[in-house]
Amino acid sequence: MLAGNSIGKEFTVTTFGESHGRYVGVVVDGCPAGLPLSEADIQAELDRRIPAEPKIVSGRIEKDVPKILSGVFNGFTTGAPIALMVENREVDSTDYEAIKDLPRPGHADYPARVKYGGFNDYRGGGGFSGRVTVALIMAGAIAKKMLSRFGVDVLAYTRAVGKVKNDKKFSAEEIRRNRYRAAARCPDLARAERMEEAIVTAKKEGESIGGIVECVALNVPVGVGEPMFDSLDADLAKALFNVPAVKGVEFGLGFGIAELKGSESNDAYIMQSGKVATSTDNMGGVLGGLSNGMPITMRVAIKPTPSIGKEQKTVNLSTMKDASLTIKGRHDPCVVPKAVPAVEAAVAVTLADHMIRAGFIPKVLERKN
Ligand SMILES: Cc1cc2nc3c(=O)[nH]c(=O)nc-3n(C[C@H](O)[C@H](O)[C@H](O)COP(=O)(O)O)c2cc1C
């Protein structure tokens, strides 16, 4: 397969659709039979995508209603591929005709036009739009439901928006309870308000800002991962880098570990409630590409939204002359809040794939007869 729109080996996720095309969808192959699954399960995850606060998101508010096309019978997965899709309804492509020869700095327009010989769908960024995260989130909904049967919980939330940061250590309970209560998706509700203010200010100035999404995967059993080339951290990073606008991924202390001494960075083993654990989690729960039983902690750097209201320099690709560009249309001044469920989904589908590969999840979850 040449196209790069699939991920996973045993739990395979193949996405399709464009920002202004008719549908966005996903085919999930390898989901075990016997998982209760309904459109309401998928809807619940999709509803988390767009924060309720219109001031901090783009004007395009799609009420995504998922359809399960295959792979579910009598309310349970059958073991066959599951196809899911949503319709794009709020499409307005007028602004894109005017700038089709003017690649947006920071977006995929220019390399996509060269790679696909100009046949790429440029409307709304086509297949490079953040809209494609809808497909990932639908796949993630299945992965999360399956993982939860095995006690695994994946929780993403906003750690920073622009310069508004939060270094607090949150309990899993606090993250579960609060992160989707705040439009900025930060479990510290007071800090979340300041994050929202920063986004509103950026929007008013015709600017955009980035931030950091943190994700923790709890209760992943020891030994998940397939070194050498399918190491757990490598595959998680691969999935996360495929979320649009992600420019950095780190585990545990990440880049901060480089300046420590071994005696400071090593996570000492201890016995805890009859199990081997570590007293710290500087490694982020992965050693040698294998889960070590501690929470897997990741941080993802998200860049400022490429489409901004200020005038920018670009080139006109039909005249090959320098040009200037002022982008109109509907854009998120900060993609961080919308990226939170996408990060969660990227981690969940990768863990689902690896838990199946490592033999922790059987092909049939329960037998009827
Ligand atoms: C949820 C989400 C929403 C996004 N919304 C926008 C947007 O409104 N405008 C924009 O220019 N980029 C947006 N992006 C970012 C672009 O899709 C992305 O920067 C672009 O495809 C280039 O890919 P890269 O940043 O990974 O290199 C969004 C990304 C995500 C994850």
Side-chain angles (χ1 to χ4, degrees):
M1 194 189 292
L2 276 177
N5 58 330
S6 292
I7 195 162
K9 287 205 168 139
E10 299 263 328
F11 183 90
T12 315
V13 171
T14 306
T15 61
F16 62 89
E18 297 86 16
S19 181
H20 293 196
R22 290 181 65 193
Y23 301 100
V24 172
V26 67
V27 178
V28 176
D29 199 1
C31 180
L35 179 73
L37 191 70
S38 69
E39 282 161 355
D41 294 323
I42 313 292
Q43 186 75 65
E45 286 295 320
L46 281 182
D47 286 348
R48 295 173 147 186
R49 207 178 80 83
I50 303 192
E53 176 48 79
K55 283 198 295 233
I56 68 159
V57 288
S58 86
R60 180 174 177 181
I61 311 267
E62 289 271 12
K63 176 69 190 121
D64 288 318
V65 181
K67 294 243 174 312
I68 298 178
L69 307 182
S70 69
V72 177
F73 178 59
N74 286 337
F76 289 87
T77 55
T78 60
I82 305 167
L84 296 157
M85 62 170 213
V86 300
E87 200 176 340
N88 287 328
R89 294 195 180 122
E90 288 287 313
V91 173
D92 177 3
S93 308
T94 41
D95 292 316
Y96 289 92
E97 284 310 314
I99 60 162
K100 71 176 168 41
D101 293 325
L102 302 172
R104 288 169 294 168
H107 215 294
D109 304 344
Y110 171 64
R113 175 158 160 159
V114 173
K115 180 174 171 71
Y116 302 109
F119 287 101
N120 57 303
D121 181 351
Y122 50 79
R123 300 165 306 162
F128 297 91
S129 164
R131 179 100 188 109
V132 297
T133 57
V134 166
L136 181 59
I137 289 168
M138 292 196 288
I142 301 174
K144 282 172 69 176
K145 187 146 194 207
M146 182 175 74
L147 290 171
S148 74
R149 284 178 78 105
F150 298 87
V152 175
D153 203 359
V154 183
L155 304 167
Y157 54 95
T158 302
R159 189 45 99 180
V161 162
K163 294 200 166 103
V164 185
K165 298 194 175 88
N166 187 311
D167 294 327
K168 209 179 136 192
K169 195 164 167 31
F170 299 113
S171 70
E173 205 29 59
E174 209 174 348
I175 303 170
R176 273 190 210 105
R177 192 176 56 239
N178 279 353
R179 71 209 158 114
Y180 285 110
R181 282 177 62 194
R185 305 322 195 194
C186 175
D188 177 339
L189 299 177
R191 197 56 63 99
E193 260 181 51
R194 287 188 46 207
M195 290 174 174
E196 284 172 41
E197 283 160 22
I199 299 174
V200 171
T201 305
K203 192 177 176 179
K204 276 195 197 129
E205 292 169 350
E207 266 296 357
S208 65
I209 47 176
I212 297 173
V213 176
E214 190 160 283
C215 185
V216 56
L218 301 167
N219 304 321
V220 177
V222 184
V224 176
E226 306 298 327
M228 168 141 167
F229 294 113
D230 291 349
S231 292
L232 187 60
D233 44 358
D235 276 356
L236 285 166
K238 176 178 173 166
L240 289 167
F241 272 119
N242 281 303
V243 174
V246 168
K247 290 308 272 182
V249 176
E250 58 178 22
F251 291 83
L253 290 185
F255 274 61
I257 211 162
E259 62 194 39
L260 298 185
K261 295 183 178 145
S263 56
E264 295 165 328
S265 65
N266 284 343
D267 297 314
Y269 287 109
I270 49 167
M271 286 306 292
Q272 210 169 56
S273 314
K275 283 188 182 157
V276 177
T278 59
S279 56
T280 49
D281 192 15
N282 297 337
M283 305 297 159
V286 185
L287 290 171
L290 301 169
S291 55
N292 68 356
M294 293 304 289
I296 299 176
T297 52
M298 296 145 273
R299 262 178 312 281
V300 176
I302 310 264
K303 74 186 194 185
T305 317
S307 302
I308 54 174
K310 289 193 164 156
E311 188 177 299
Q312 298 176 85
K313 281 188 187 164
T314 185
V315 292
N316 185 318
L317 294 174
S318 67
T319 62
M320 290 310 240
K321 295 219 163 88
D322 287 341
S324 69
L325 167 70
T326 306
I327 300 167
K328 298 200 185 75
R330 304 167 300 177
H331 296 283
D332 296 300
C334 176
V335 309
V336 171
K338 280 191 188 171
V340 165
V343 162
E344 208 165 275
V347 170
V349 298
T350 307
L351 288 177
D353 185 45
H354 272 282
M355 294 241 332
I356 293 172
R357 289 173 72 181
F360 287 102
I361 299 181
K363 290 278 176 202
V364 179
L365 294 180
E366 54 191 71
R367 299 211 167 258
K368 262 179 151 181
N369 41 38

